[in-house]
Amino acid sequence: DSGGEFNNSIKRKYPLMFFGQGEGKTHSIQHWATQDEIDKISEDFWNEADPMVSERNGLMMRVLQFLGFRCSTAKSLTDLQFSSEALSQREVADDFMLTPDFQKGSGKHTFSVSWSLAWALHNYCEDAEYGRKAILRKTGVDEKTAEHAIFLNVKNGKPLTTRTWVAIFSKKFK
């Protein structure tokens, strides 16, 4: 038994939990990166010629690795979610709780983010040498263009698209 009957019965019992999930799935093979692959990709990112790209892509990798978000969810993270105010409001909690703006199926799930990753995202946003602030300064764009997205294109300051996220990681997994 492949477990399909169990999954289908759970889906029938709790349809709102699974709304739109797996509906358009065309294949069942899912690749989970090994630690060796993650280490190799991280090393490749840190060897990029542009340190702004290295910083950005390395942090993108950590977000995907530790939170397991889809690229479309990860790209929806904003600097406002990791501002000093947002972090200080929750500093007594064990983990930083986050509800990404975009989730598959219009979900509004809350995720636990380790404090080390939350602070890494905050510090990246505030980094005027290689982080988000550096990209804004280099490109000369404002928040109207950047849309408060954490991960920006280093050439034009616009938020990275889901397609760009997928391309960055697909290239590394080939």
Side-chain angles (χ1 to χ4, degrees):
D1 181 19
S2 66
E5 290 177 28
F6 173 76
N7 290 337
N8 286 337
S9 73
I10 294 294
K11 190 171 181 175
R12 278 195 302 273
K13 283 183 180 178
Y14 309 103
L16 295 179
M17 277 182 64
F18 298 96
F19 176 75
Q21 295 180 1
E23 302 295 326
K25 196 170 190 171
T26 57
H27 58 83
S28 61
I29 299 173
Q30 172 71 46
H31 174 75
W32 295 99
T34 65
Q35 189 60 50
D36 287 342
E37 288 172 319
I38 290 168
D39 292 345
K40 172 73 171 95
I41 292 169
S42 293
E43 183 179 323
D44 287 350
F45 283 151
W46 291 113
N47 290 327
E48 296 278 348
D50 185 338
M52 285 186 199
V53 173
S54 294
E55 288 285 336
R56 182 198 67 199
N57 291 359
L59 188 55
M60 288 167 55
M61 180 73 171
R62 287 180 64 193
V63 167
L64 295 179
Q65 178 185 6
F66 294 113
L67 298 179
F69 287 169
R70 296 172 172 275
C71 291
S72 55
T73 299
K75 83 163 192 85
S76 77
L77 299 178
T78 69
D79 65 328
L80 301 174
Q81 291 170 310
F82 296 94
S83 67
S84 296
E85 299 81 37
L87 294 175
S88 66
Q89 287 174 356
R90 301 180 188 119
E91 66 187 355
V92 296
D94 290 337
D95 285 322
F96 181 80
M97 301 307 289
L98 171 72
T99 305
D101 291 339
F102 179 84
Q103 298 178 36
K104 182 177 178 177
S106 301
K108 290 295 174 197
H109 304 287
T110 299
F111 297 88
S112 174
V113 178
S114 70
W115 278 106
S116 62
L117 182 56
W119 279 107
L121 287 158
H122 168 79
N123 291 337
Y124 173 78
C125 290
E126 296 298 317
D127 184 350
E129 188 172 358
Y130 299 117
R132 184 179 187 279
K133 280 190 175 178
I135 295 171
L136 292 174
R137 187 187 70 247
K138 175 185 170 187
T139 58
V141 303
D142 59 14
E143 290 301 343
K144 184 175 181 183
T145 301
E147 301 173 21
H148 290 281
I150 292 177
F151 301 104
L152 305 173
N153 182 307
V154 298
K155 293 180 182 169
N156 63 23
K158 293 180 181 177
L160 294 180
T161 64
T162 300
R163 181 174 287 199
T164 301
W165 274 72
V166 170
I168 288 168
F169 288 98
S170 295
K171 190 167 94 173
K172 295 295 180 186
F173 276 103
K174 287 187 178 183

